[in-house]
Protein backbone atom coordinates (compact mmCIF):
# COMPACT_ATOMS: atom_id res chain seq x y z
CA UNK A 1 0.00 0.00 0.00
CA UNK A 2 1.10 3.51 -0.72
CA UNK A 3 1.05 6.43 1.66
CA UNK A 4 2.24 10.01 1.34
CA UNK A 5 4.06 11.35 4.38
CA UNK A 6 3.94 15.13 4.58
CA UNK A 7 6.78 16.54 6.65
CA UNK A 8 6.35 20.14 7.76
CA UNK A 9 8.75 22.62 9.35
CA UNK A 10 9.16 21.93 13.04
CA UNK A 11 11.98 20.70 15.25
CA UNK A 12 10.30 17.27 15.31
CA UNK A 13 10.89 16.91 11.55
CA UNK A 14 13.94 14.76 12.31
CA UNK A 15 11.64 12.20 13.98
CA UNK A 16 9.96 11.65 10.60
CA UNK A 17 13.05 9.71 9.52
CA UNK A 18 12.45 7.07 12.20
CA UNK A 19 8.74 7.11 11.32
CA UNK A 20 9.54 6.32 7.67
CA UNK A 21 11.59 3.31 8.75
CA UNK A 22 8.72 1.96 10.89
CA UNK A 23 6.13 2.54 8.18
CA UNK A 24 8.30 0.62 5.74
CA UNK A 25 8.50 -2.25 8.20
CA UNK A 26 4.70 -2.38 7.89
CA UNK A 27 5.28 -2.94 4.15
CA UNK A 28 4.02 0.51 3.24
CA UNK A 29 5.46 2.31 0.26
CA UNK A 30 6.17 5.84 1.50
CA UNK A 31 6.27 8.93 -0.72
CA UNK A 32 7.67 11.84 1.29
CA UNK A 33 6.41 15.34 0.55
CA UNK A 34 8.29 18.16 2.30
CA UNK A 35 7.23 21.74 2.75
CA UNK A 36 9.81 24.45 2.15
CA UNK A 37 10.28 25.11 5.86
CA UNK A 38 10.71 21.40 6.64
CA UNK A 39 13.82 21.48 4.49
CA UNK A 40 15.35 23.96 6.95
CA UNK A 41 15.23 21.20 9.57
CA UNK A 42 16.13 18.06 7.65
CA UNK A 43 17.53 17.38 4.19
CA UNK A 44 15.33 15.72 1.54
CA UNK A 45 18.25 13.39 0.82
CA UNK A 46 17.69 11.65 4.17
CA UNK A 47 14.17 10.63 3.12
CA UNK A 48 15.19 9.77 -0.43
CA UNK A 49 17.82 7.39 0.95
CA UNK A 50 15.36 5.81 3.41
CA UNK A 51 12.45 5.36 1.01
CA UNK A 52 14.22 4.83 -2.30
CA UNK A 53 11.66 7.28 -3.74
CA UNK A 54 12.26 10.80 -5.00
CA UNK A 55 11.19 13.30 -2.35
CA UNK A 56 8.68 15.90 -3.51
CA UNK A 57 9.83 19.31 -2.36
CA UNK A 58 8.05 21.80 -4.56
CA UNK A 59 4.96 22.41 -6.59
CA UNK A 60 6.58 23.22 -9.91
CA UNK A 61 9.76 21.82 -11.40
CA UNK A 62 12.63 24.05 -12.46
CA UNK A 63 11.49 26.97 -14.58
CA UNK A 64 13.78 26.29 -17.51
CA UNK A 65 12.41 22.80 -18.20
CA UNK A 66 8.96 23.30 -19.64
CA UNK A 67 7.89 19.64 -20.10
CA UNK A 68 8.95 18.86 -16.53
CA UNK A 69 6.87 21.82 -15.39
CA UNK A 70 3.78 20.43 -17.02
CA UNK A 71 4.37 17.08 -15.37
CA UNK A 72 5.04 18.43 -11.91
CA UNK A 73 2.09 20.80 -12.17
CA UNK A 74 -0.24 17.80 -12.36
CA UNK A 75 1.89 15.50 -10.21
CA UNK A 76 -0.17 16.30 -7.09
CA UNK A 77 -3.23 14.91 -8.88
CA UNK A 78 -1.35 11.74 -9.78
CA UNK A 79 -0.03 11.31 -6.23
CA UNK A 80 -3.49 12.14 -4.83
CA UNK A 81 -5.05 9.32 -6.81
CA UNK A 82 -2.27 6.84 -6.08
CA UNK A 83 -2.13 6.96 -2.30
CA UNK A 84 -4.17 4.97 0.22
CA UNK A 85 -3.53 7.48 3.01
CA UNK A 86 -2.04 10.92 3.61
CA UNK A 87 -0.13 11.26 6.87
CA UNK A 88 1.34 14.56 8.04
CA UNK A 89 3.92 14.22 10.80
CA UNK A 90 4.97 16.50 12.27
CA UNK A 91 2.06 18.81 11.44
CA UNK A 92 2.67 22.44 12.36
CA UNK A 93 -0.04 24.90 13.44
CA UNK A 94 0.46 26.53 10.05
CA UNK A 95 -0.29 23.38 8.01
CA UNK A 96 -3.39 22.67 10.13
CA UNK A 97 -4.60 26.21 9.38
CA UNK A 98 -3.94 25.74 5.67
CA UNK A 99 -5.79 22.43 5.61
CA UNK A 100 -8.69 23.81 7.66
CA UNK A 101 -9.19 26.80 5.38
CA UNK A 102 -8.54 24.91 2.14
CA UNK A 103 -5.65 27.13 1.02
CA UNK A 104 -3.59 25.23 -1.53
CA UNK A 105 -0.34 27.10 -2.11
CA UNK A 106 2.22 24.32 -2.19
CA UNK A 107 2.40 20.63 -3.02
CA UNK A 108 1.28 19.31 0.37
CA UNK A 109 -1.70 21.64 0.78
CA UNK A 110 -2.77 20.92 -2.80
CA UNK A 111 -2.40 17.20 -2.21
CA UNK A 112 -4.67 17.49 0.84
CA UNK A 113 -7.42 19.04 -1.29
CA UNK A 114 -6.90 16.71 -4.23
CA UNK A 115 -6.88 13.37 -2.46
CA UNK A 116 -9.87 11.27 -1.45
CA UNK A 117 -7.65 9.05 0.70
CA UNK A 118 -8.07 9.24 4.49
CA UNK A 119 -5.92 11.86 6.23
CA UNK A 120 -4.04 11.48 9.53
CA UNK A 121 -2.21 14.38 11.16
CA UNK A 122 0.22 14.22 14.06
CA UNK A 123 0.63 17.80 15.33
CA UNK A 124 3.76 19.05 17.08
CA UNK A 125 4.24 22.59 18.27
CA UNK A 126 4.80 24.89 21.21
CA UNK A 127 2.23 24.39 24.02
CA UNK A 128 0.75 27.89 23.67
CA UNK A 129 0.31 27.43 19.93
CA UNK A 130 -1.31 24.03 20.59
CA UNK A 131 -3.73 25.51 23.10
CA UNK A 132 -4.49 28.64 21.06
CA UNK A 133 -8.20 28.93 20.11
CA UNK A 134 -7.19 29.28 16.45
CA UNK A 135 -5.46 25.89 16.50
CA UNK A 136 -8.33 24.31 18.47
CA UNK A 137 -10.85 25.60 15.95
CA UNK A 138 -8.78 24.39 13.02
CA UNK A 139 -8.52 20.93 14.57
CA UNK A 140 -12.27 20.81 15.19
CA UNK A 141 -12.94 21.68 11.55
CA UNK A 142 -10.52 19.01 10.39
CA UNK A 143 -12.01 16.39 12.72
CA UNK A 144 -15.49 17.24 11.48
CA UNK A 145 -14.24 16.41 7.97
CA UNK A 146 -13.00 13.02 9.11
CA UNK A 147 -9.33 13.89 9.54
CA UNK A 148 -7.77 11.73 12.25
CA UNK A 149 -5.62 13.53 14.80
CA UNK A 150 -2.86 11.72 16.71
CA UNK A 151 -2.73 13.94 19.78
CA UNK A 152 0.69 15.21 20.80
CA UNK A 153 2.28 14.05 24.05
CA UNK A 154 2.98 16.22 27.05
CA UNK A 155 6.51 16.84 28.17
CA UNK A 156 9.56 18.95 27.73
CA UNK A 157 9.37 20.90 24.47
CA UNK A 158 12.23 22.05 22.25
CA UNK A 159 11.33 25.68 22.99
CA UNK A 160 12.18 25.12 26.65
CA UNK A 161 8.57 25.04 27.87
CA UNK A 162 6.76 22.06 29.31
CA UNK A 163 3.28 20.94 28.25
CA UNK A 164 1.34 19.35 25.39
CA UNK A 165 2.84 19.72 21.95
CA UNK A 166 5.47 17.03 21.64
CA UNK A 167 5.01 14.84 18.55
CA UNK A 168 3.23 11.60 19.50
CA UNK A 169 5.44 8.53 19.67
CA UNK A 170 6.36 6.78 16.43
CA UNK A 171 4.43 3.70 17.64
CA UNK A 172 1.26 5.71 18.33
CA UNK A 173 1.41 7.20 14.84
CA UNK A 174 2.11 3.83 13.17
CA UNK A 175 -0.74 2.24 15.13
CA UNK A 176 -3.19 4.89 14.00
CA UNK A 177 -2.09 4.57 10.38
CA UNK A 178 -2.49 0.78 10.59
CA UNK A 179 -5.95 1.13 12.12
CA UNK A 180 -7.14 3.60 9.48
CA UNK A 181 -5.78 1.39 6.69
CA UNK A 182 -7.32 -1.68 8.31
CA UNK A 183 -3.93 -3.41 8.53
CA UNK A 184 -4.16 -6.37 10.84
CA UNK A 185 -2.67 -9.80 10.86
CA UNK A 186 -5.70 -11.77 11.97
CA UNK A 187 -6.20 -13.42 8.56
CA UNK A 188 -2.55 -14.32 8.04
CA UNK A 189 -2.24 -17.67 6.30
CA UNK A 190 -5.95 -17.84 5.31
CA UNK A 191 -7.14 -18.11 1.73
CA UNK A 192 -10.47 -16.50 0.96
CA UNK A 193 -12.42 -16.84 -2.25
CA UNK A 194 -14.58 -13.81 -3.02
CA UNK A 195 -16.95 -13.39 -5.96
CA UNK A 196 -17.97 -9.91 -7.03
CA UNK A 197 -19.88 -7.90 -9.60
CA UNK A 198 -22.67 -8.85 -11.98
CA UNK A 199 -22.71 -11.65 -14.52
CA UNK A 200 -23.76 -11.20 -18.13
CA UNK A 201 -25.91 -13.60 -20.08
CA UNK A 202 -25.86 -13.23 -23.85
CA UNK A 203 -29.05 -12.81 -25.82
CA UNK A 204 -27.18 -12.52 -29.11
CA UNK A 205 -23.67 -11.27 -30.10
CA UNK A 206 -24.50 -7.65 -29.23
CA UNK A 207 -27.01 -7.90 -26.36
CA UNK A 208 -26.95 -9.36 -22.90
CA UNK A 209 -28.93 -9.54 -19.66
CA UNK A 210 -27.24 -8.22 -16.54
CA UNK A 211 -28.00 -6.29 -13.33
CA UNK A 212 -26.95 -3.10 -11.58
CA UNK A 213 -24.23 -4.56 -9.36
CA UNK A 214 -21.10 -2.36 -9.35
CA UNK A 215 -18.89 -4.96 -7.64
CA UNK A 216 -17.96 -2.47 -4.90
CA UNK A 217 -19.00 -4.67 -1.97
CA UNK A 218 -17.05 -7.70 -3.24
CA UNK A 219 -13.98 -5.61 -4.07
CA UNK A 220 -14.13 -4.00 -0.60
CA UNK A 221 -14.19 -7.49 0.92
CA UNK A 222 -11.19 -8.52 -1.15
CA UNK A 223 -9.29 -5.35 -0.22
CA UNK A 224 -10.11 -5.65 3.50
CA UNK A 225 -9.15 -9.34 3.62
CA UNK A 226 -5.81 -8.64 1.90
CA UNK A 227 -5.04 -5.88 4.39
CA UNK A 228 -5.71 -8.34 7.20
CA UNK A 229 -3.21 -10.80 5.79
CA UNK A 230 -5.37 -13.18 3.73
CA UNK A 231 -4.55 -14.54 0.31
CA UNK A 232 -7.57 -13.55 -1.78
CA UNK A 233 -8.90 -15.14 -4.95
CA UNK A 234 -11.25 -12.58 -6.48
CA UNK A 235 -13.56 -14.01 -9.13
CA UNK A 236 -15.17 -11.03 -10.73
CA UNK A 237 -17.86 -10.30 -13.27
CA UNK A 238 -17.37 -7.18 -15.42
CA UNK A 239 -16.79 -4.02 -13.33
CA UNK A 240 -14.94 -0.71 -13.73
CA UNK A 241 -13.09 -1.11 -10.44
CA UNK A 242 -9.30 -1.26 -10.04
CA UNK A 243 -8.10 -4.73 -9.07
CA UNK A 244 -7.00 -4.73 -5.41
CA UNK A 245 -3.25 -5.03 -5.24
CA UNK A 246 -2.19 -8.52 -4.24
CA UNK A 247 -5.47 -10.22 -5.25
CA UNK A 248 -5.42 -13.31 -7.42
CA UNK A 249 -7.95 -11.84 -9.90
CA UNK A 250 -10.01 -14.06 -12.15
CA UNK A 251 -12.24 -12.14 -14.57
CA UNK A 252 -15.39 -13.92 -15.76
CA UNK A 253 -18.47 -12.94 -17.72
CA UNK A 254 -21.29 -15.45 -17.45
CA UNK A 255 -22.74 -17.42 -14.54
CA UNK A 256 -21.36 -20.58 -16.11
CA UNK A 257 -17.86 -19.08 -16.26
CA UNK A 258 -18.16 -17.92 -12.66
CA UNK A 259 -19.37 -21.36 -11.60
CA UNK A 260 -16.45 -23.02 -13.36
CA UNK A 261 -13.91 -20.62 -11.82
CA UNK A 262 -15.39 -21.03 -8.34
CA UNK A 263 -15.57 -24.81 -8.53
CA UNK A 264 -12.01 -25.03 -9.82
CA UNK A 265 -10.66 -22.94 -6.96
CA UNK A 266 -13.03 -23.64 -4.08
CA UNK A 267 -11.79 -27.13 -3.24
CA UNK A 268 -8.98 -26.05 -0.94
CA UNK A 269 -10.53 -22.75 0.18
CA UNK A 270 -12.00 -22.79 3.66
CA UNK A 271 -13.83 -19.48 3.31
CA UNK A 272 -16.01 -18.59 0.32
CA UNK A 273 -17.87 -15.29 0.13
CA UNK A 274 -20.39 -15.05 -2.71
CA UNK A 275 -20.85 -11.30 -3.03
CA UNK A 276 -21.50 -11.47 -6.77
CA UNK A 277 -24.95 -10.59 -8.08
CA UNK A 278 -25.28 -13.72 -10.16
CA UNK A 279 -27.98 -13.80 -12.85
CA UNK A 280 -30.73 -16.16 -11.78
CA UNK A 281 -31.84 -16.66 -15.40
CA UNK A 282 -30.26 -16.69 -18.83
CA UNK A 283 -31.69 -16.83 -22.36
CA UNK A 284 -32.58 -20.45 -23.09
CA UNK A 285 -31.36 -20.17 -26.67
CA UNK A 286 -28.80 -17.38 -27.18
CA UNK A 287 -28.67 -16.46 -30.87
CA UNK A 288 -25.46 -16.87 -32.87
CA UNK A 289 -26.40 -13.95 -35.15
CA UNK A 290 -27.70 -10.53 -34.19
CA UNK A 291 -31.46 -10.64 -33.79
CA UNK A 292 -33.41 -8.48 -36.22
CA UNK A 293 -36.40 -6.35 -35.45
CA UNK A 294 -39.58 -8.21 -36.35
CA UNK A 295 -43.11 -6.93 -36.69
CA UNK A 296 -44.75 -7.87 -33.43
CA UNK A 297 -43.85 -8.71 -29.87
CA UNK A 298 -40.76 -10.66 -28.98
CA UNK A 299 -40.82 -13.21 -26.20
CA UNK A 300 -37.48 -14.19 -24.78
CA UNK A 301 -37.43 -17.55 -23.10
CA UNK A 302 -35.22 -17.76 -20.02
CA UNK A 303 -33.91 -20.75 -18.16
CA UNK A 304 -32.55 -20.84 -14.60
CA UNK A 305 -28.80 -20.67 -14.11
CA UNK A 306 -27.07 -23.07 -11.73
CA UNK A 307 -27.04 -21.72 -8.17
CA UNK A 308 -23.31 -21.65 -7.38
CA UNK A 309 -23.73 -21.00 -3.67
CA UNK A 310 -26.33 -23.75 -3.28
CA UNK A 311 -24.03 -26.17 -5.12
CA UNK A 312 -21.18 -25.38 -2.74
CA UNK A 313 -23.60 -25.72 0.16
CA UNK A 314 -24.53 -29.24 -0.91
CA UNK A 315 -20.91 -30.37 -0.64
CA UNK A 316 -20.05 -28.06 2.18
CA UNK A 317 -17.68 -30.09 4.35
CA UNK A 318 -15.84 -27.80 6.75
CA UNK A 319 -16.05 -24.88 4.33
CA UNK A 320 -17.42 -21.59 5.63
CA UNK A 321 -19.96 -20.15 3.20
CA UNK A 322 -21.21 -16.58 3.12
CA UNK A 323 -23.92 -15.42 0.74
CA UNK A 324 -25.59 -12.10 0.03
CA UNK A 325 -29.22 -11.22 -0.32
CA UNK A 326 -30.34 -8.01 -1.96
CA UNK A 327 -33.97 -7.52 -1.11
CA UNK A 328 -36.70 -4.99 -1.75
CA UNK A 329 -39.19 -6.54 0.72
CA UNK A 330 -39.46 -9.17 3.48
CA UNK A 331 -35.73 -8.95 4.18
CA UNK A 332 -35.72 -11.23 7.24
CA UNK A 333 -37.83 -14.04 5.76
CA UNK A 334 -35.91 -14.00 2.48
CA UNK A 335 -32.52 -13.95 4.18
CA UNK A 336 -33.44 -16.78 6.56
CA UNK A 337 -34.82 -18.76 3.61
CA UNK A 338 -31.55 -18.40 1.70
CA UNK A 339 -29.51 -19.33 4.76
CA UNK A 340 -31.40 -22.62 5.05
CA UNK A 341 -31.81 -23.39 1.34
CA UNK A 342 -28.18 -22.79 0.41
CA UNK A 343 -26.66 -24.27 3.60
CA UNK A 344 -24.76 -21.03 4.16
CA UNK A 345 -23.19 -20.03 7.47
CA UNK A 346 -24.07 -16.39 7.04
CA UNK A 347 -26.28 -14.31 4.79
CA UNK A 348 -25.50 -10.62 4.45
CA UNK A 349 -28.80 -8.99 3.63
CA UNK A 350 -29.44 -5.50 2.49
CA UNK A 351 -32.68 -3.71 1.98
CA UNK A 352 -32.36 -1.96 -1.35
CA UNK A 353 -35.13 0.47 -0.51
CA UNK A 354 -33.05 2.24 2.16
CA UNK A 355 -31.02 5.27 1.07
CA UNK A 356 -27.29 4.50 1.39
CA UNK A 357 -27.76 0.77 0.79
CA UNK A 358 -27.14 -1.27 -2.30
CA UNK A 359 -25.96 -0.85 -5.85
CA UNK A 360 -23.15 1.49 -6.80
CA UNK A 361 -23.31 3.21 -3.41
CA UNK A 362 -20.09 3.64 -1.41
CA UNK A 363 -22.01 2.80 1.75
CA UNK A 364 -24.19 -0.09 2.75
CA UNK A 365 -26.72 -0.91 5.48
CA UNK A 366 -26.78 -4.64 6.11
CA UNK A 367 -27.91 -7.22 8.63
CA UNK A 368 -25.88 -10.37 9.17
CA UNK A 369 -28.07 -13.48 9.56
CA UNK A 370 -26.35 -16.45 11.20
CA UNK A 371 -27.25 -20.13 11.38
CA UNK A 372 -27.66 -20.08 15.16
CA UNK A 373 -30.53 -17.62 14.77
CA UNK A 374 -28.60 -14.48 15.59
CA UNK A 375 -29.24 -11.32 13.59
CA UNK A 376 -26.64 -8.57 13.66
CA UNK A 377 -27.88 -5.28 12.22
CA UNK A 378 -25.10 -2.87 11.23
CA UNK A 379 -25.51 0.89 10.88
CA UNK A 380 -24.85 2.73 7.63
CA UNK A 381 -21.11 2.22 7.04
CA UNK A 382 -18.67 2.50 4.17
CA UNK A 383 -18.48 -0.73 2.17
CA UNK A 384 -14.90 -1.14 3.43
CA UNK A 385 -16.12 -1.00 7.04
CA UNK A 386 -18.99 -3.37 6.27
CA UNK A 387 -16.40 -5.72 4.76
CA UNK A 388 -14.34 -5.62 7.96
CA UNK A 389 -17.42 -6.34 10.11
CA UNK A 390 -18.25 -9.34 7.91
CA UNK A 391 -14.65 -10.57 8.22
CA UNK A 392 -14.80 -10.11 12.03
CA UNK A 393 -17.88 -12.30 12.11
CA UNK A 394 -16.29 -14.91 9.82
CA UNK A 395 -13.32 -15.08 12.18
CA UNK A 396 -15.66 -15.60 15.11
CA UNK A 397 -17.33 -18.51 13.26
CA UNK A 398 -14.15 -20.09 11.86
N1 LIG B 1 -26.03 -16.96 -6.13
C1 LIG B 1 -25.30 -17.97 -6.73
N2 LIG B 1 -25.68 -18.47 -7.93
C2 LIG B 1 -26.79 -18.04 -8.55
C3 LIG B 1 -27.55 -17.03 -7.95
C4 LIG B 1 -27.15 -16.50 -6.74
O1 LIG B 1 -24.30 -18.37 -6.16
N3 LIG B 1 -27.13 -18.55 -9.72
C5 LIG B 1 -25.61 -16.42 -4.82
C6 LIG B 1 -25.27 -14.96 -4.85
O2 LIG B 1 -23.89 -14.74 -5.09
C7 LIG B 1 -25.68 -14.51 -3.46
C8 LIG B 1 -26.87 -15.35 -3.18
O3 LIG B 1 -26.68 -16.54 -3.94
O4 LIG B 1 -24.67 -14.80 -2.51
C9 LIG B 1 -28.11 -14.66 -3.59
O5 LIG B 1 -29.13 -15.55 -3.64
P1 LIG B 1 -30.37 -15.45 -4.65
O6 LIG B 1 -31.32 -16.51 -4.22
O7 LIG B 1 -29.97 -15.41 -6.04
O8 LIG B 1 -30.92 -14.09 -4.26
P2 LIG B 1 -31.27 -12.88 -5.11
O9 LIG B 1 -30.98 -13.07 -6.54
O10 LIG B 1 -30.61 -11.71 -4.44
O11 LIG B 1 -32.78 -12.77 -4.82
P3 LIG B 1 -34.05 -13.68 -5.20
O12 LIG B 1 -34.32 -14.45 -3.96
O13 LIG B 1 -35.05 -12.65 -5.47
O14 LIG B 1 -33.67 -14.53 -6.35
Amino acid sequence: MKIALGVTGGVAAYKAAELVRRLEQEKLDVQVVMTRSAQEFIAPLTFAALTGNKVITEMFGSLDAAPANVESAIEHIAVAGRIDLLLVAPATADILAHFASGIADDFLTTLYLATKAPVVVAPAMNVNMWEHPATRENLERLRARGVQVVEPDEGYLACGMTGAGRLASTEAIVQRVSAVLGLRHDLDGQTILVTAGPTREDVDPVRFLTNRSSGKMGYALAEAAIRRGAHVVLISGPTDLPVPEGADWVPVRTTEEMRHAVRERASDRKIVIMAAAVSDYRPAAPQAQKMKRGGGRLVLELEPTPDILAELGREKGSRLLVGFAAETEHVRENARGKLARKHADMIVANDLTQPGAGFDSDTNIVTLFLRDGREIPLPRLSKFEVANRILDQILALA
Side-chain angles (χ1 to χ4, degrees), residues 195 255 258 273-281 305-310 322-327 334 338 341-342 347:
T195 65
T255 302
M258 182 170 280
I273 309 177
M274 288 288 305
V278 185
S279 299
D280 288 322
Y281 288 91
T305 56
D307 188 325
I308 306 167
L309 182 56
V322 179
F324 274 69
E327 307 293 348
N334 287 332
K338 279 171 201 174
R341 232 176 17 253
K342 303 190 187 220
I347 289 285

Side-chain angles (χ1 to χ4, degrees), residues 76-122:
H76 58 275
I77 304 294
V79 175
R82 224 171 19 230
I83 56 173
D84 298 295
L85 182 136
L86 168 62
L87 167 67
V88 183
T92 56
D94 179 64
I95 201 78
L96 298 176
H98 271 77
F99 283 2
S101 57
I103 295 172
D105 59 359
D106 68 359
F107 196 100
L108 185 56
T109 47
T110 313
L111 180 60
Y112 167 73
L113 285 190
T115 192
K116 291 204 156 157
V119 180
V120 177
V121 295

Side-chain angles (χ1 to χ4, degrees), residues 1-330:
M1 300 189 75
K2 295 183 178 57
I3 76 165
L5 170 63
V7 181
T8 66
V11 184
Y14 77 93
K15 294 184 182 168
E18 173 64 15
L19 183 58
V20 164
R21 229 181 41 80
R22 277 291 291 114
L23 292 168
E24 297 216 314
Q25 280 171 0
E26 297 296 311
K27 299 197 172 57
L28 295 168
D29 184 7
V30 184
Q31 168 66 64
V32 175
V33 178
M34 298 180 79
T35 59
R36 190 166 292 220
S37 58
Q39 295 164 59
E40 303 288 337
F41 291 89
I42 183 165
L45 192 60
T46 307
F47 295 114
L50 286 171
T51 61
N53 289 330
K54 225 176 82 193
V55 172
I56 299 174
T57 52
E58 53 192 325
M59 187 71 186
F60 302 102
S62 78
L63 288 171
D64 47 13
N69 273 350
V70 176
E71 264 180 41
S72 58
I74 56 164
E75 177 67 3
H76 58 275
I77 304 294
V79 175
R82 224 171 19 230
I83 56 173
D84 298 295
L85 182 136
L86 168 62
L87 167 67
V88 183
T92 56
D94 179 64
I95 201 78
L96 298 176
H98 271 77
F99 283 2
S101 57
I103 295 172
D105 59 359
D106 68 359
F107 196 100
L108 185 56
T109 47
T110 313
L111 180 60
Y112 167 73
L113 285 190
T115 192
K116 291 204 156 157
V119 180
V120 177
V121 295
M125 63 197 74
N126 158 279
V127 59
N128 292 343
M129 293 171 80
W130 173 246
E131 286 171 356
H132 197 283
T135 304
R136 317 274 7 130
E137 278 169 27
N138 289 333
L139 280 167
E140 276 328 298
R141 284 165 77 183
L142 292 174
R143 281 198 179 98
R145 280 180 215 154
V147 172
Q148 296 257 340
V149 181
V150 189
E151 296 271 329
D153 290 337
E154 289 194 16
Y156 178 77
L157 304 173
C159 55
M161 296 173 75
T162 303
R166 216 164 65 173
L167 181 67
S169 71
T170 300
E171 277 322 300
I173 299 171
V174 172
Q175 263 179 31
R176 185 70 68 91
V177 166
S178 299
V180 173
L181 288 175
L183 302 176
R184 272 180 265 170
H185 296 287
D186 53 1
L187 289 173
D188 276 353
Q190 299 269 16
T191 302
I192 302 187
L193 192 153
V194 180
T195 65
T199 57
R200 285 181 184 169
E201 305 299 339
D202 287 337
V203 174
D204 70 13
V206 296
R207 304 180 179 95
F208 52 80
L209 297 180
T210 190
N211 58 67
R212 291 174 53 199
S213 166
S214 63
K216 283 181 181 170
M217 193 59 239
Y219 276 57
L221 274 158
E223 181 76 54
I226 291 168
R227 294 188 193 191
R228 292 170 72 156
H231 173 65
V232 172
V233 180
L234 176 59
I235 298 175
S236 173
T239 76
D240 293 330
L241 302 172
V243 178
E245 217 165 296
D248 179 359
W249 185 66
V250 185
V252 295
R253 219 173 149 267
T254 63
T255 302
E256 200 49 57
E257 283 175 26
M258 182 170 280
R259 176 194 191 205
H260 184 73
V262 169
R263 293 189 68 82
E264 205 173 60
R265 291 166 181 83
S267 58
D268 56 341
R269 317 287 179 215
K270 284 258 170 293
I271 302 169
V272 175
I273 309 177
M274 288 288 305
V278 185
S279 299
D280 288 322
Y281 288 91
R282 64 187 168 205
Q287 301 296 304
Q289 303 302 329
K290 186 181 167 218
M291 290 165 70
K292 290 295 179 193
R293 178 203 288 262
R297 286 185 171 202
L298 174 71
V299 177
L300 201 58
E301 197 182 340
L302 303 179
E303 64 180 14
T305 56
D307 188 325
I308 306 167
L309 182 56
E311 278 183 7
L312 291 178
R314 281 197 286 274
E315 41 197 82
K316 191 165 172 297
S318 60
R319 211 183 277 129
L320 208 141
L321 285 180
V322 179
F324 274 69
E327 307 293 348
T328 53
E329 57 180 357
H330 309 307

